[in-house]
Structures are given as C-alpha cells and as structure tokens.
C-alpha cells in the first residue's frame, strides 16, 4: 500500500488548475497531498487532509471516487487516472494514529449532538477542537451511524470507527450511547438542561416500502435493517434483492459472504439505468450476484418473487424462487425528534428543512447530513456540516 501511494504521488501531474480538486465536494488539495508524499512529509499531508475533512480516513475508503476526484483527473483522457483514494487512505490512516490535538481554548458553551453518523462525528470534531463542551448522543451502542450499521465491514472496518471514538474522547467529547432522543428525552429537555445549541444528524433509518402483496411475510426483510446486523438473519441459499442502488450491492455482497450462493438483484429498468455506481456493480458481479432487468415486482409469496415484465412482452409475469426477499429501495427519516418538539419544519418527504448553513426554524437548533438532504455521500455530509459548524459558532457568540 505505501509503495502504491508513493508511485501514484509521483505519477500525479500536480496541475496548476487541478480538475480533481474541483471534483471533490470538500476541495481536497490533492496535488499538495501528492507533493508532501513525494517529499516524505506524511504527517504534514495527514494534518492537511484532516483539517480539511475530519473524515478523510473514511472517505478514502468509501467515496465514489469515479464520480469525483478520480473521475475528473485530466489523465482520464489518455491513460488511467491517479488513484487518489490510495494516497488518501495511506496518509489518513497513518495520521489517525499520530494526530494529537488539544482544544484551542475552553469555551463556556454546551452543545448536544444527536446522531453519531458522518455529520455528527464531523461536528463533534470541529466544535470540540474549538473548545466547546460536546455531548454526542446515539441510539446505538457504538458510534458511527450509517458508517458502522449501514456499510459492510469488508468495505469500512469498524476498527477505524473505534479509533475515531478514542480521538473524540481525547478531545473531551462525552459520548452517550443507547440514548434515543425524542420519545423520552426531548429537545426541550436538552435546552432546559443548559445546552446552548443542539444539532440533529440522525440520518435516514426508516426503510421505504414497496407496497405489494406479501411484504409482511416472514421471509421478507429491509436492507437497512439487514445491514445493521447480518449475523442475526438466516436468509437461506436463494436471495432476491429488490432495488439496484449502492445499498442493494452491499446487501448482495454481504449475503454472498454469509453463505447465500444464489443472489439475484431485480430491477425494473435496464442495466444502463442502474442507480448504483459502476464500480459497486462490478464488485457485486465479481462476488457472484446475478441481475434480472426489466422486471417489476408485483407480489411476494412463500416461494419467491412474482414479477411483471416491463420491456417487450409487457404484462407477462413470472417468478424467481427465493428463500428470502430483501427490499432495498431507499429509506427516509424517522420522526422521533420532530414528533415531540415544536419549531422543526419538515418537507413533503419528512426531511428537516434548513437554510444553506443548517439553521432550522427553531432558534439554536441546527441540522445537516442525510436527515436534511436524504441519503447522500459521506463527503457531502462533511461539506455541509462544516458550513453548519460556522453558523453554529456564530450563533453561540450571541447567546
């Protein structure tokens, strides 16, 4: 890995107007990272990456690089692009161990952060480094949110999230696990207990239903639930997955790794319309997943999935036998917080409405990440959470 990172850094053209930087949502200075690697200044490169993106070590592993930095690399025109992810992964992993920060100063303000996913972790880092007293609440037993409970271990090792937890605690962040804000502890309770600002970064955990007959059968599961803890499911040998986004690819690859040997992804359109990244589709195929296109699910039975053809011969039906069916057609936000709180406005699909800097309609309450934007990439959550951190600090100076 280290040699590959060095060779890619040497191959980088260090463009004066780097298109790779334009392609990165947080404008990571990739040419400068490459320069520092070539010079042997790995710690300096890591510091630069972390201070621009506190989750660079995560983004290096799971960012859709083909659509962002690597996809914009000028070398795409004549040869293969620079493997930015390899450089970033090596540098960020090294720096996560070495980094040693002390908060700038003690700020006499308290912040409650609800949700320890990408947005919550990012804000915890940023505000703790500024010296604010941060309490991070999460309804799971460990931090990470979608990073831990929505992305397979083989893509993002949980050990990285455990190391991030150690760093957060070293900065003074108090972590309160197994605490669901809303039904018991409300936003009003937090404010009454002296928190000067509250951040909502609860993500999207409510699975979308397909709403066909048989969806409540015992052999039917939702992707977002399955990925939380695959070990508790006995899917059998034949699995059918409805949906074809990145989550569906994760479910397919996970189930294949856990003993299912006949896994089929069913999609109502053609292969050219697949919503999943090409790289994710390629890996799913490599792992053994099969694809059935132009098939619209119409019913789930104890024996499998009944479908209707959506291409030529429209209206023709058939069945794909399966022991288990997993529905992976996206998810939306839960309403635990807004149902017990006033002043938090939602849009027509239940996402929290904010301005461009994460301010909600309720004074002192901010939000960012998937609970605002819907399911997006980790790096996009970082981008908007950085804006929210600035807005929150401006607000804290006024209270």
């Amino acid at each position: 890995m280290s040699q590959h990172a060095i060779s890619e850094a040497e191959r980088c053209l260090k463009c004066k107007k780097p298109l790779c930087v334009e392609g990165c949502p947080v404008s990571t200075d990739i040419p400068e990272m490459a320069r520092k690697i070539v010079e042997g200044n790995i710690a300096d490169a890591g510091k630069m990456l972390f201070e621009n993106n506190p989750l660079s070590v995560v983004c290096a592993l799971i960012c859709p690089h083909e659509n962002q930095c690597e996809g914009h690399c000028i070398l795409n025109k004549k040869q293969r692009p620079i493997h930015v992810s390899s450089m970033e992964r090596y540098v960020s992993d090294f720096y996560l161990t070495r980094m040693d920060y002390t908060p700038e100063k003690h700020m006499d303000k308290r912040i409650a952060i609800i949700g320890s996913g990408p947005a919550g972790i990012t804000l915890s880092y940023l505000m703790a480094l500024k010296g604010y007293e941060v309490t991070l609440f999460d309804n799971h037993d460990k931090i990470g949110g979608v990073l831990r409970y929505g992305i397979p271990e083989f893509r993002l090792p949980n050990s990285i999230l455990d190391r991030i937890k150690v760093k957060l605690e070293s900065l003074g962040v108090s972590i309160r696990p197994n605490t669901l804000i809303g039904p018991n502890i409300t936003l009003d309770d937090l404010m009454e207990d002296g928190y000067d600002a509250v951040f909502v970064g609860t993500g999207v955990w409510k699975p979308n239903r397909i709403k066909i007959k048989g969806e409540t059968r015992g052999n039917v599961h939702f992707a977002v639930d399955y990925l939380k803890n695959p070990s508790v499911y006995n899917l059998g040998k034949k699995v059918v997955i409805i949906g074809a986004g990145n989550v569906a690819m994760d479910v397919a690859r996970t189930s294949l790794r856990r003993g299912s040997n006949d896994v089929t992804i069913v999609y109502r359109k053609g292969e050219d319309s697949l919503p999943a990244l090409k790289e994710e589709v390629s890996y799913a195929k490599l792992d053994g997943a099969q694809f059935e296109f132009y098939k619209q699910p119409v019913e789930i039975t104890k024996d499998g999935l009944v479908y209707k053809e959506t291409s030529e011969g429209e209206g023709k039906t058939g069945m794909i036998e399966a022991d288990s069916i997993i529905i992976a057609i996206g998810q939306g936000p839960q309403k635990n917080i807004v149902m017990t709180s006033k002043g938090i406005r939602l849009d027509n699909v239940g996402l929290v409405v904010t301005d461009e800097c994460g301010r909600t309609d309720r004074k002192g309450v901010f939000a960012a990440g998937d609970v605002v934007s819907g399911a997006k990439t980790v790096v996009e959550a970082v981008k908007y959470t950085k804006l929210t951190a600035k807005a929150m600090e401006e607000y804290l100076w006024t209270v």
Side-chain angles (χ1 to χ4, degrees):
M1 175 62 74
S2 60
Q3 186 57 47
H4 182 56
I6 293 170
S7 63
E8 289 301 282
E10 291 174 339
R11 202 165 65 86
C12 177
L13 300 179
K14 287 83 172 178
C15 304
K16 291 184 178 179
K17 293 184 178 180
L19 298 179
C20 57
V21 176
E22 293 180 14
C24 175
V26 291
S27 301
T28 299
D29 194 340
I30 295 161
E32 183 61 20
M33 172 177 61
R35 289 189 195 95
K36 290 182 182 297
I37 291 174
V38 172
E39 295 167 357
N41 295 326
I42 305 300
D44 287 347
K47 185 174 187 291
M48 179 192 72
L49 289 177
F50 174 79
E51 293 181 356
N52 177 65
N53 175 4
L55 288 181
S56 62
V57 68
V58 171
C59 291
L61 289 168
I62 64 172
C63 258
H65 300 95
E66 65 185 67
N67 292 343
Q68 296 176 346
C69 53
E70 293 176 13
H72 285 73
C73 177
I74 195 171
L75 291 179
N76 276 297
K77 296 180 179 180
K78 294 185 178 181
Q79 52 183 299
R80 64 181 176 86
I82 300 300
H83 200 204
V84 176
S85 54
S86 292
M87 294 191 293
E88 185 176 20
R89 180 181 180 182
Y90 178 76
V91 171
S92 298
D93 186 75
F94 172 86
Y95 192 69
L96 181 59
T97 300
R98 289 286 300 275
M99 59 183 279
D100 183 19
Y101 286 91
T102 300
E104 295 177 3
K105 53 185 176 181
H106 177 69
M107 308 293 291
D108 191 24
K109 302 289 182 182
R110 298 176 64 206
I111 301 167
I113 297 177
I114 306 170
S116 68
I121 290 175
T122 299
L123 192 70
S124 295
Y125 264 134
L126 295 175
M127 302 310 284
L129 284 167
K130 293 282 187 178
Y132 293 96
E133 183 181 335
V134 176
T135 300
L136 179 60
F137 297 87
D138 198 277
N139 64 320
H140 292 103
D141 61 334
K142 295 181 180 180
I143 74 161
V146 68
L147 301 177
R148 185 184 294 271
Y149 298 103
I151 297 175
E153 169 84 8
F154 61 83
R155 287 186 59 207
L156 177 61
N158 287 331
S159 59
I160 290 178
L161 302 172
D162 295 337
R163 291 162 65 195
I164 288 174
K165 176 178 180 285
V166 171
K167 294 301 179 182
L168 288 173
E169 291 177 329
S170 72
L171 289 171
V173 175
S174 297
I175 298 175
R176 185 164 171 175
N178 297 317
T179 305
L180 179 62
I181 303 297
N184 189 20
I185 299 175
T186 67
L187 287 186
D188 291 336
D189 293 328
L190 294 174
M191 295 297 192
E192 289 175 6
D193 275 353
Y195 288 97
D196 299 286
V198 175
F199 175 79
V200 179
T202 47
V204 286
W205 291 97
K206 181 181 178 182
N208 292 336
R209 292 184 55 195
I210 196 168
K211 297 182 179 178
I212 60 175
K213 185 177 180 180
E215 192 174 16
T216 63
R217 285 186 170 275
N219 62 336
V220 181
H221 312 286
F222 291 110
V224 67
D225 297 325
Y226 173 69
L227 289 174
K228 285 181 183 177
N229 191 357
S231 65
V232 304
Y233 291 81
N234 181 14
L235 299 181
K237 296 298 183 182
K238 293 184 178 181
V239 177
V240 167
I241 300 165
I242 301 173
N246 291 331
V247 171
M249 304 304 138
D250 282 344
V251 169
R253 298 178 67 193
T254 300
S255 59
L256 284 162
R257 280 167 167 75
R258 299 198 64 82
S260 300
N261 56 16
D262 186 348
V263 176
T264 302
I265 295 170
V266 176
Y267 187 47
R268 59 189 175 87
K269 297 181 181 180
E271 186 166 8
D272 292 343
S273 301
L274 282 172
L277 292 170
K278 291 181 180 179
E279 182 179 357
E280 297 302 322
V281 173
S282 296
Y283 275 116
K285 289 181 177 178
L286 182 64
D287 286 355
Q290 304 297 311
F291 287 77
E292 289 285 352
F293 298 106
Y294 298 110
K295 290 178 172 58
Q296 176 71 49
V298 294
E299 183 181 352
I300 299 171
T301 72
K302 64 181 178 62
D303 298 315
L305 176 70
V306 179
Y307 64 83
K308 178 177 68 175
E309 295 280 358
T310 60
S311 57
E312 295 181 8
E314 185 173 351
K316 180 181 177 181
T317 62
M319 172 181 276
I320 303 175
E321 293 184 357
D323 299 313
S324 297
I325 310 288
I326 299 185
I327 299 171
I329 58 170
Q331 56 265 5
Q334 295 175 327
K335 298 181 179 180
N336 297 315
I337 294 175
V338 297
M339 289 180 66
T340 58
S341 306
K342 295 180 179 180
I344 308 295
R345 185 161 53 98
L346 305 180
D347 66 10
N348 60 349
V349 295
L351 298 171
V352 176
V353 176
T354 70
D355 66 7
E356 66 279 2
C357 293
R359 303 179 185 92
T360 70
D361 287 357
R362 179 166 176 171
K363 184 178 179 181
V365 178
F366 300 78
D370 289 355
V371 75
V372 173
S373 64
K376 299 290 184 182
T377 62
V378 172
V379 72
E380 287 174 296
V382 173
K383 174 183 177 180
Y384 292 106
T385 302
K386 288 172 68 176
L387 295 175
T388 303
K390 292 181 180 179
M392 180 180 284
E393 188 163 30
E394 291 174 1
Y395 168 76
L396 291 171
W397 281 104
T398 68
V399 295

